[in-house]
Amino acid sequence: MARAPRILLTGFEVFGGHSANPSEKLATRLDGEWVGPARVVGRVLPVSIAKLDGAIDEILAETKPVAVVALGLAEREATIRLETTGYNELDFRIPDNDGKKRRGPIDKAGPAKRAASLPLAASLKALLAAGIPARLSDDPGRFLCNAALYGFLARAGRMPCGFVHLPQTPEMVARALKKDPKTDASLRASMGLRLQLAAIRLILAETARKALK
C-alpha cells in the first residue's frame, strides 16, 4: 500500500529567554493531521547553528515530504508573516541555544538569496479572507529562522517550501510584563495560539493544493 504524501511542518525550540515558542507548539499539535490526502508531519528544529544543517538533512531523509512549511517566532511581529526570501547571511543579535553567535555567509559557495516557493499569494488571500492578520515579508531576519529557510530551499528542488513567522502568544507577553512591567512596547504584540493554529491550517491547505495538483 502506497504511503500518503507528507507535508513537513517544522517549529523551533524555546530560545532567547522566552517562556515558550508557538512554532514548537503548532508543529507538535498538527503532527499527524490530514490535509486532504496529505498527512502533516511535525518536527522541532534545534536553535543551534552547529546542529541545524544535520537536523534538516535527517528530517528530510526520514519524512520524504512533498512540501515544507517551516515556522518560527518573531517576537516583535503582530501578524502571520509569510517570508518570500531566504538570504545567505547570518548576523545573530543574540546567541543561539549553544551560546554561539555567528556573522557571515551561511554557504560561501551558495547564492546570495533563494526565493520561497510556497503559494504565498493564495495563502495571504485565504488568511485575510478568514479575518486573520497576515502580510508578506522579504526580511526573515538573520538568525536561525533565515538559516532554516535558506537551508530548506537549498534542498527543496521543485517542491513547495517556505517559512512563516508567528507572533508571541498573549500568555508569553503577560509573563514578560509580569517580570518587567516596562517591557518595550515593540515586544508586546501577540496573537492567540488558536488563531495561529487556524492560520497554519489554511497555509497547509493551500500548500497541499499546490504540491498535489
Side-chain angles (χ1 to χ4, degrees), residues 4-161:
R6 295 179 174 186
I7 297 177
L8 176 61
L9 180 69
T10 67
F12 272 108
E13 301 169 328
V14 178
F15 71 98
H18 292 289
S19 58
N21 191 330
S23 71
E24 179 182 39
K25 291 180 179 293
L26 293 180
T28 302
R29 170 67 179 80
L30 288 165
D31 180 41
E33 280 203 8
W34 291 86
V35 184
R39 186 167 178 260
V40 178
V41 180
R43 296 292 184 268
V44 179
L45 295 170
V47 180
S48 164
I49 194 61
K51 299 172 185 173
L52 183 62
D53 269 352
I56 288 174
D57 286 335
E58 183 177 338
I59 290 169
L60 289 175
E62 172 210 347
T63 60
K64 296 181 173 60
V66 297
V68 176
V69 179
L71 308 176
L73 170 65
E75 61 185 5
R76 289 176 168 81
E77 184 56 65
T79 74
I80 299 297
R81 199 168 90 197
L82 305 166
E83 302 295 349
T84 66
T85 312
Y87 296 91
N88 189 8
E89 182 183 0
L90 297 174
D91 189 1
F92 288 10
R93 179 175 55 85
I94 61 172
D96 66 13
N97 283 356
D98 295 332
K100 305 295 184 183
K101 294 182 78 172
R102 278 275 305 274
R103 186 176 184 181
I106 297 170
D107 178 1
K108 291 181 180 179
K113 58 186 179 181
R114 292 187 169 108
S117 52
L118 291 180
L120 297 177
S123 295
L124 180 63
K125 182 178 179 180
L127 291 166
L128 296 178
I132 301 174
R135 69 183 182 93
L136 298 180
S137 162
D138 62 0
D139 184 2
R142 298 299 185 270
F143 194 48
L144 272 294
C145 292
N146 175 62
L149 174 56
Y150 189 84
F152 273 124
L153 289 170
R155 299 159 171 83
R158 299 180 65 181
M159 73 174 170
C161 178

